[in-house]
Amino acid sequence: AQKVTQAQTEISVVEKEDVTLDCVYETRDTTYYLFWYKQPPSGELVFLIRRNSFDEQNEISGRYSWNFQKSTSSFNFTITASQVVDSAVYFCALKDSGGYQKVTFGTGTKLQVIP
Amino acid sequence: DTAVSQTPKYLVTQMGNDKSIKCEQNLGHDTMYWYKQDSKKFLKIMFSYNNKELIINETVPNRFSPKSPDKAHLNLHINSLELGDSAVYFCASSFTGPGTEAFFGQGTRLTVV
């Protein structure tokens, strides 16, 4: 069975601070895929990044960076120099390589960036 | 140029009514999904269709019936609505393949009174 744990329910930071959102996953598959999605207050779900289980390179995109560590089954997301527009609920998700390709979402971390 | 669009955005209805939510995608994807997001923001897949064929059917009451007339459309019909059905319902689509991300519609907030 797949499981995604986002232990941080809510985080508040002051603008320009760095913040890391944690994601820990469980799967029996050796091949799997991890995702991060952002849900701003307007409600839509926005895809941020996909990572394959066989690619442990970290990724940086502007102020966003992702740290994938198979040894600890973690896929953490860091926002550098946070901005008010980063305020949202962030979801980590896991997809296996099986025929049904079911996606399991974590419970989300609500990030509030205070000006 | 909306990629995944669902209508209506808001739906308020009385218990016992039947309602439908429509979803269309113009991304050329061959897999479509319905997700339910509850009041605590928990997202759970309900159904998945691949090329109009049902491939995932989670533990969902049979009052919920998806219908996919073609690859670009996946509608959700709900019979005999109950208070507990109140939630935000998201449609999503993706290409077939495990390493593909899903793109979501803007959600339909269903309120049953």
Side-chain angles (χ1 to χ4, degrees), chain A residues 37 39 50 95 100-102, chain B residues 37 55 58 99-102:
Chain A
Y37 284 85
Q39 187 174 37
R50 176 188 70 233
K95 189 177 189 183
Y100 293 126
Q101 299 163 32
K102 181 180 168 182
Chain B
Q37 186 174 46
I55 57 171
E58 288 296 285
T100 57
E101 62 273 15

Side-chain angles (χ1 to χ4, degrees), chain A residues 41-96:
Chain A
S42 50
E44 72 273 22
L45 279 156
V46 179
F47 164 74
L48 294 177
I49 190 171
R50 176 188 70 233
R51 174 60 69 213
N52 307 327
S53 57
F54 42 85
D55 180 3
E56 285 196 70
Q57 281 190 344
N58 292 331
E59 181 145 345
I60 298 175
S61 176
R63 296 183 298 105
Y64 294 172
S65 62
W66 290 269
N67 184 307
F68 175 36
Q69 293 196 333
K70 280 179 86 167
S71 60
T72 56
S73 296
S74 65
F75 186 41
N76 297 337
F77 174 28
T78 297
I79 302 175
T80 304
S82 59
Q83 299 176 2
V84 173
V85 292
D86 296 327
S87 296
V89 180
Y90 290 87
F91 292 94
C92 181
L94 168 69
K95 189 177 189 183
D96 65 26

Side-chain angles (χ1 to χ4, degrees), chain B:
Chain B
D1 274 28
T2 306
V4 182
S5 61
Q6 48 184 115
T7 54
K9 189 170 182 181
Y10 300 97
L11 187 52
V12 181
T13 187
Q14 291 187 323
M15 280 175 55
N17 283 351
D18 303 340
K19 289 293 177 186
S20 292
I21 306 172
K22 295 187 174 182
C23 179
E24 175 182 5
Q25 54 94 5
N26 63 4
L27 297 167
H29 290 160
D30 49 11
T31 302
M32 295 186 73
Y33 314 81
W34 278 109
Y35 281 84
K36 179 180 180 180
Q37 186 174 46
D38 63 23
S39 58
K40 295 184 179 178
K41 296 285 189 178
F42 184 61
L43 269 164
K44 188 165 169 36
I45 192 165
M46 300 171 68
F47 302 103
S48 172
Y49 270 74
N50 178 252
N51 285 315
K52 303 194 300 175
E53 297 294 324
L54 181 66
I55 57 171
I56 293 177
N57 184 350
E58 288 296 285
T59 310
V60 177
N62 57 15
R63 298 181 294 103
F64 290 78
S65 52
K67 186 160 283 188
S68 180
D70 56 57
K71 282 197 318 182
H73 296 84
L74 180 62
N75 303 323
L76 182 65
H77 188 76
I78 315 170
N79 289 327
S80 303
L81 278 154
E82 300 177 357
L83 292 177
D85 297 332
S86 296
V88 180
Y89 293 85
F90 284 96
C91 176
S93 70
S94 72
F95 288 113
T96 301
T100 57
E101 62 273 15
F103 290 87
F104 285 77
Q106 77 273 32
T108 296
R109 182 174 293 277
L110 172 65
T111 304
V112 183
V113 297

